[in-house]
Amino acid sequence: MTLTDDEYVARVEGAVASLRARNAAWLEAINHVEVPAVHEAVTARFDSNATLVEFDIDPSALSDYTNTELEQIITDVLRNTHQALHAQMMELFAT
């Protein structure tokens, strides 16, 4: 089967439109990913590439917890937030 130039261009344009629609749906889905807070004293947010983009420690946590406790809280927040984001991203990939 030989395609004319117009038929070939139409197929390519259709494929590009399909990819753009799928990409838009993917970006929209990513915008709705929310990871629940792990601890009230420390918050972390990762982007869709798993890059840490926001990290905050409540100033009162410095006096409310020992250094060792705060270190464990920070570790738990970073690890659990990253794992929750990863799990949600894998669910999006599956759908």
Side-chain angles (χ1 to χ4, degrees), residues 3-80:
L3 298 176
T4 66
D5 288 345
D6 290 339
E7 291 170 331
Y8 181 79
V9 169
R11 284 192 181 190
V12 170
E13 287 175 341
V16 168
S18 174
L19 287 173
R20 284 183 177 163
R22 290 172 58 192
N23 187 52
W26 171 252
L27 293 175
E28 181 65 23
I30 287 174
N31 288 333
H32 295 298
V33 170
E34 289 188 27
V35 176
V38 176
H39 197 280
E40 67 278 354
V42 178
T43 58
R45 187 172 63 85
F46 293 86
D47 67 10
S48 61
N49 293 318
T51 301
L52 182 64
V53 293
E54 187 177 317
F55 181 77
D56 185 52
I57 300 174
D58 186 342
S60 65
L62 300 174
S63 59
D64 293 345
Y65 303 99
T66 66
N67 289 346
T68 305
E69 291 171 332
L70 190 54
E71 180 181 341
Q72 186 60 52
I73 291 169
I74 292 169
T75 301
D76 291 343
V77 166
L78 290 173
R79 181 178 292 125
N80 294 338

